[in-house]
Amino acid sequence: MGKVSNIMIEFNNVSKRYPSGQEALTQVSFELDTGEMAFLTGHSGAGKSTLLKLIALIERPSQGQVIVNQHNLVRLTKQQAPWLRRCMGIIFQDPHLLMDRSVFDNVALPLRIVGYRQSEIGRRVRAALDKVNLLHKEKTFPDALSCGEQQRVGIARAVVHKPNILLADEPTGNLDPQLSSEIMDLFEQFNQVGVTVLIASHDLGLIAAKKHRILTLQQGRLTSWGA
Amino acid sequence: MGRLASSQRMSQPSKRQYYSLFGFLTRHIQAAGFSWRRLWRAPLASLMTIGVIGIALCLPLVLFVLVQNAQMLTTNLDHRGQVNLFLESSLTETELNEIFQALQIDVAVANFHYISPEQGLEDLQRETGLSDILQTLPNNPLPGVIEVTPAPEVIQQDRLQSFSQSLQQLPYVASAKLDMQWLQRLNYIVNVAQQAVNALLVLLSLAVLLIVSNTIRLATQNRRQEIIVCKLIGAHNRFVRRPFLYSGIWYGLLGGLVAWGFVTGLLWWLYAPMQRLVNSYYLEYHFTGLSWTTTLLLIGLSVGLGWLGSLIAVNRQIAAMEPT
C-alpha cells in the first residue's frame, strides 16, 4: 500500500466560532504524522474538546481546513461522517457506556455497526477485553463496574475495530494517579502497533513523564507544538 | 460518493461482505432479535400498545365479517330468483296439465314445482302454528301456486322482470309475482354497511399508525443517549433506526394476532344467535368466519402499519439527534 502522505491529521489555519459568538479556536495549524502520539493540553475552556470534535466531524470549522486520513473534512457531507468515524476510536472522560447492555455487547457495538459475523465479533471483542484486562467481566453490566473499569471498557470499545486514529478527551479525568498511569501505558501500547493517538489532558504531571509531543492551547490559540 | 474512498484497512470487513446477502441478513436478524428482546423488557407497556392495536383493528374486522356474510346471504337470495304463479281458483286436472305443458316447453324455465291449495294450507299450519285459526275458516282460501325457477341465463342476463311478465300471460294464471324490491333494498343496506366498514377501517388504521408512531417517538427520546453514542462510533442513520423499525413491525404483528384472536372469539360468541336469526327466515345459510386470505391481509396490514408508523416517527427524530 503506497503512501501518498505520511500525515494523518492536518489543521490549516482553523478557526471555530460557535453560534453564540464564542471563539473556541483561532488560526490553529499543526500536523500529526501517521503512527505518532501527542498530547493536547491547556486550561479548561482553552479549546481542547473543540479541536477533537473537529477531527471527529462532530463540529465543523468556521474557517480553515481539517484533513484527516487524507480526507478534507470540509468536503465530507453529514452522511459521510459515519465512514470517517469508523477509522477512529473516540474515548471520553465519561465513557458513555450503554447501561442496559453487558460489557461484551458494549464493546461489540462498533463491530455490529460495520456488520461483522457473530464468530468474528466474539473473537475481536475478547481480544480487546483481554488487552484492557477485563476479559472476566464480559457478562457484567456497566453499573457493576468501578470508574476505572468503565473507562477501560470505553477504551476496549474504541479499539475493538482497530482504528487508525485514537482520540481521547480527558480519559483520566475521573481516575486516581495509579489508574491514570495504567491507562496512559495502554495508549502507548496501541501507539506502538501503529495507531495515531491524540490525547487531550490537563494532567501535566502525567504528560510530562511521557516523551511525546505536547500541543498547548491557550484561549483557542496553539502556543506550543514542540516535544 | 457514498463512502470514503480509502481509509478502509485490512481490519474492516470487505465491501463484498458488507453488501452480501449474508451481511444484510445478519444485520437484520440482529436488529429484529434485539428489538424483540427489548419489547419484553417492559412487558406491561408493550402489551398495552399491542392491546390497543388489536382492539382498534378488531372492530372494523368483525363488522367486515358480518357484512361479508350479509352480502353472501343476499346474493344467495338473488340467485334463487323464483317466480311464484298464483293460479285461478278451482282448476280442473286438464287445465292444470295445460299449464304444466306450457312450462315444460318454455326454454327459459329450468324447473317448476306445483303446490296445491291443500298442501299450501298444510304447510302454513305446520310452519306458523296457526292451525287453530286456520281450522275455523269455512273453506281453503289459498290458490294453487307454481314455483318457477328460471334458467340460469335468465338470471345472468337480468331478464327476470320480462320472464315474470311472460308467465303472467299464461292461461289460468291469476298473477305472477317476482318480489325483488325488498331484496334490492336489503342489498342497498348491505352496501351502505360495507361503505361504513371501509371508512371505519381507514380511520382505525390511521389510529394504529398514530399509536405506533407515538410509541416509537417516545422510545427514540428515551434512548437518545444510545442513539448519539452509536452515531459517535460510526453508525449510519440506517443502522440506528433499524431496531426501531423492527419494534414497529413487532407491534404490528402482535397487534394483528391479537386482533385475529379477538375477532375469532367474538364471531364464535355471535355464531349461535346469528344462526338463529337466519334460521328464523327459513334460510339455508351457514356463517363463515375469517378466511385465510382475510387473516393474512389483516396481519399484512397490521405489520405494514407498524412499520410505516415507526418510519414516520423515527426518520426525523434520528436525523435530529447528532452528537455535540
Side-chain angles (χ1 to χ4, degrees), chain A residues 80 83 86 100-101 114 116, chain B residues 1-2 11 18 38 226 234:
Chain A
Q80 288 168 329
W83 298 109
R86 286 178 194 186
D100 60 350
R101 296 181 209 201
V114 182
Y116 279 90
Chain B
M1 176 174 130
S11 63
Y18 189 79
R38 187 165 290 260
E226 180 184 336

Side-chain angles (χ1 to χ4, degrees), chain B residues 178-194:
Chain B
L178 172 70
D179 198 3
M180 295 287 285
Q181 215 169 30
W182 71 274
L183 239 180
Q184 215 152 27
R185 285 195 184 130
L186 185 61
N187 253 331
Y188 292 149
I189 293 172
V190 170
N191 280 345
V192 168
Q194 195 183 19

Side-chain angles (χ1 to χ4, degrees), chain B residues 23-316:
Chain B
F24 176 84
L25 286 178
T26 307
R27 272 170 288 141
H28 278 263
I29 290 168
Q30 276 174 357
F34 177 74
S35 338
W36 176 263
R37 288 191 295 277
R38 187 165 290 260
L39 211 59
W40 303 117
R41 285 247 177 103
L44 193 66
S46 299
L47 285 176
M48 285 203 284
T49 305
I50 291 163
V52 171
I53 296 169
I55 292 167
L57 288 176
C58 153
L59 187 61
L61 215 71
V62 167
L63 293 176
F64 170 78
V65 172
L66 292 184
V67 168
Q68 206 183 25
N69 275 294
Q71 232 167 7
M72 284 200 277
L73 201 62
T74 54
T75 20
N76 270 1
L77 293 176
D78 260 345
H79 286 303
R80 293 208 319 179
Q82 220 172 40
V83 180
N84 292 331
L85 302 183
F86 296 95
L87 305 179
E88 289 167 1
S89 54
S90 53
L91 293 179
T92 63
E93 194 82 8
T94 40
E95 287 165 335
L96 272 175
N97 279 332
E98 211 177 307
I99 305 174
F100 293 163
Q101 269 165 15
L103 290 173
Q104 258 154 10
I105 56 170
D106 191 341
V107 288
V109 174
N111 58 54
F112 60 89
H113 172 61
Y114 174 64
I115 301 164
S116 68
E118 295 75 38
Q119 200 191 335
L121 190 63
E122 222 172 273
D123 290 349
L124 196 63
Q125 282 176 346
R126 183 160 37 81
E127 287 171 8
T128 58
L130 295 174
S131 54
D132 294 348
I133 299 166
L134 292 171
Q135 265 161 13
T136 61
L137 293 173
N139 50 15
N140 187 352
L142 298 176
V145 177
I146 304 177
E147 292 175 351
V148 181
T149 308
E153 306 91 74
V154 175
I155 297 167
Q156 279 156 18
Q157 293 162 12
D158 231 358
R159 294 200 328 251
L160 268 172
Q161 208 66 45
S162 60
F163 175 69
S164 166
Q165 273 162 14
S166 76
L167 291 179
Q168 176 91 59
Q169 307 302 318
L170 288 173
Y172 317 117
V173 171
S175 73
K177 208 154 176 80
L178 172 70
D179 198 3
M180 295 287 285
Q181 215 169 30
W182 71 274
L183 239 180
Q184 215 152 27
R185 285 195 184 130
L186 185 61
N187 253 331
Y188 292 149
I189 293 172
V190 170
N191 280 345
V192 168
Q194 195 183 19
Q195 293 295 328
V197 168
N198 288 347
L200 204 63
L201 184 65
V202 170
L203 273 179
L204 288 172
S205 295
L206 205 64
V208 169
L209 206 67
L210 295 179
I211 293 161
V212 175
S213 200
N214 198 44
T215 307
I216 300 290
R217 191 178 58 81
L218 288 175
T220 55
Q221 281 172 358
N222 285 339
R223 288 162 60 192
R224 188 190 165 83
Q225 168 80 358
E226 180 184 336
I227 291 169
I228 287 174
V229 168
C230 284
K231 285 192 170 191
L232 263 178
I233 54 185
H236 276 107
N237 289 347
R238 264 202 314 278
F239 175 89
V240 177
R241 83 179 186 195
R242 200 175 290 132
F244 291 103
L245 294 184
Y246 272 105
S247 296
I249 290 175
W250 290 131
Y251 280 132
L253 180 68
L254 295 173
L257 289 175
V258 167
W260 175 81
F262 280 155
V263 172
T264 312
L266 256 172
L267 289 177
W268 176 78
W269 194 55
L270 286 175
Y271 183 83
M274 284 195 305
Q275 201 65 55
R276 273 201 294 280
L277 175 71
V278 169
N279 288 347
S280 75
Y281 281 91
Y282 309 113
L283 295 170
E284 275 291 316
Y285 183 76
H286 289 286
F287 271 97
T288 54
L290 272 179
S291 66
W292 280 112
T293 330
T294 316
T295 306
L296 283 180
L297 278 177
L298 159 74
I299 304 287
L301 173 76
S302 182
V303 167
L305 287 173
W307 173 78
L308 190 64
S310 56
L311 189 69
I312 292 169
V314 130
N315 260 357
R316 289 180 50 148

